[in-house]
């Protein structure tokens, strides 16, 4: 079986990993069974019998008994203290997301939206707002060509409407250059928009 370069790389990576594991387990940290056996596991309890000469007298409360010369913890006291801590914690952390009792929401005034802008009817205003970038001849389907006016970056064909003006045609004079001819749909006023220079 012939190995591909990808398979060779995979075998090499696996071999390096196996070697690293063997070096880590056998060479770098040799196991010492003598020290491992003498150290108890973290969960194991260590119990040593009490010394006969230090055995305490019988106490009225078995929780006060001692072991190895040290006092055993007072379990009833610990339980009582844990219950107190739990009630303190419950008092402090009722609800982290609750609003403070004196909190008042901020009133935000929302301005009503203005209605749509009135359409431009004045020719001078129309020429100030809109700018003829270019007049382009665009190929359509087959050999058909369409002339478009690029106004403020958007293309308009003959018959398209912008505000209250309808694009009626194009002119191309050697002295004035290319221009778009608009007609006001309301007043019938003709407007010539020349290419901005």
């Amino acid at each position: 079986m012939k190995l591909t370069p990808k398979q060779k790389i995979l075998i090499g990576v696996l071999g390096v990993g196996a070697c690293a594991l063997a070096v880590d387990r056998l060479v770098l940290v040799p196991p010492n069974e003598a020290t491992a056996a003498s150290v108890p596991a973290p969960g194991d309890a260590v119990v040593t019998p009490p010394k006969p000469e230090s055995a305490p007298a019988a106490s009225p409360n078995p929780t006060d008994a001692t072991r190895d010369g040290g006092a055993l913890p007072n379990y009833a006291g610990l339980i009582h203290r844990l219950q107190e801590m739990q009630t303190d914690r419950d008092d402090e952390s009722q609800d982290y997301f609750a609003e403070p009792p004196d909190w008042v929401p901020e009133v935000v005034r929302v301005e009503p939206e203005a209605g749509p802008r009135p359409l431009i009817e004045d020719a001078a205003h129309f020429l100030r707002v809109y700018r003829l970038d270019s007049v382009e001849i665009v190929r359509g389907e087959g050999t058909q060509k369409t002339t478009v006016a690029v106004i403020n970056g958007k293309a308009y064909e003959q018959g398209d409407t912008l505000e209250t003006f309808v694009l009626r045609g194009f002119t191309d004079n050697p002295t004035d250059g290319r221009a778009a001819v608009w007609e006001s749909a309301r007043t019938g006023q003709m407007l010539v928009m020349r290419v901005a220079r």
Side-chain angles (χ1 to χ4, degrees):
M1 177 175 141
K2 188 173 182 179
L3 296 176
T4 64
K6 190 175 185 179
Q7 291 172 333
K8 290 178 184 178
I9 292 172
L10 180 63
I11 291 172
V13 169
L14 289 174
V16 169
C19 290
L21 180 65
V23 168
D24 181 54
R25 294 295 173 192
L26 301 175
V27 177
L28 296 179
V29 183
N32 189 350
E33 294 181 13
T35 56
S38 64
V39 177
D44 293 344
V46 179
V47 178
T48 56
K51 297 178 186 173
E53 64 272 4
S54 66
S59 61
N61 188 350
T63 58
D64 294 337
T66 60
R67 180 184 71 196
D68 278 347
L72 287 175
N74 182 357
Y75 291 111
L78 284 175
I79 292 171
H80 180 68
R81 172 149 178 174
L82 285 172
Q83 288 173 346
E84 287 178 354
M85 290 172 58
Q86 184 65 33
T87 56
D88 291 345
R89 187 178 300 146
D90 289 343
D91 292 342
E92 292 173 2
S93 62
Q94 290 286 333
D95 185 5
Y96 288 112
F97 299 103
E99 296 88 7
D102 57 344
W103 180 77
V104 177
E106 181 181 347
V107 177
V108 178
R109 180 178 298 253
V110 178
E111 296 294 330
E113 292 184 10
R117 177 178 63 80
L119 295 175
I120 297 174
E121 295 182 14
D122 180 39
H125 189 175
F126 183 80
L127 290 175
R128 281 194 304 270
V129 173
Y130 294 103
R131 179 181 57 123
L132 179 62
D133 297 325
S134 65
V135 175
E136 302 290 334
I137 298 174
V138 181
R139 280 189 185 250
E141 298 176 10
T143 59
Q144 183 181 4
K145 295 180 181 178
T146 306
T147 306
V148 295
V150 180
I151 299 174
N152 289 3
K154 187 175 177 185
Y156 294 89
E157 293 182 10
Q158 187 171 350
D160 287 346
T161 303
L162 179 62
E163 299 285 342
T164 60
F165 291 86
V166 179
L167 182 58
R168 292 296 180 202
F170 302 95
T171 62
D172 190 6
N173 295 334
T175 56
D176 296 335
R178 293 183 174 176
V181 179
W182 295 86
E183 180 184 3
S184 173
R186 296 194 180 162
T187 63
Q189 178 186 6
M190 299 301 287
L191 170 69
V192 177
M193 179 184 283
R194 291 185 173 78
V195 176
R197 298 184 193 238

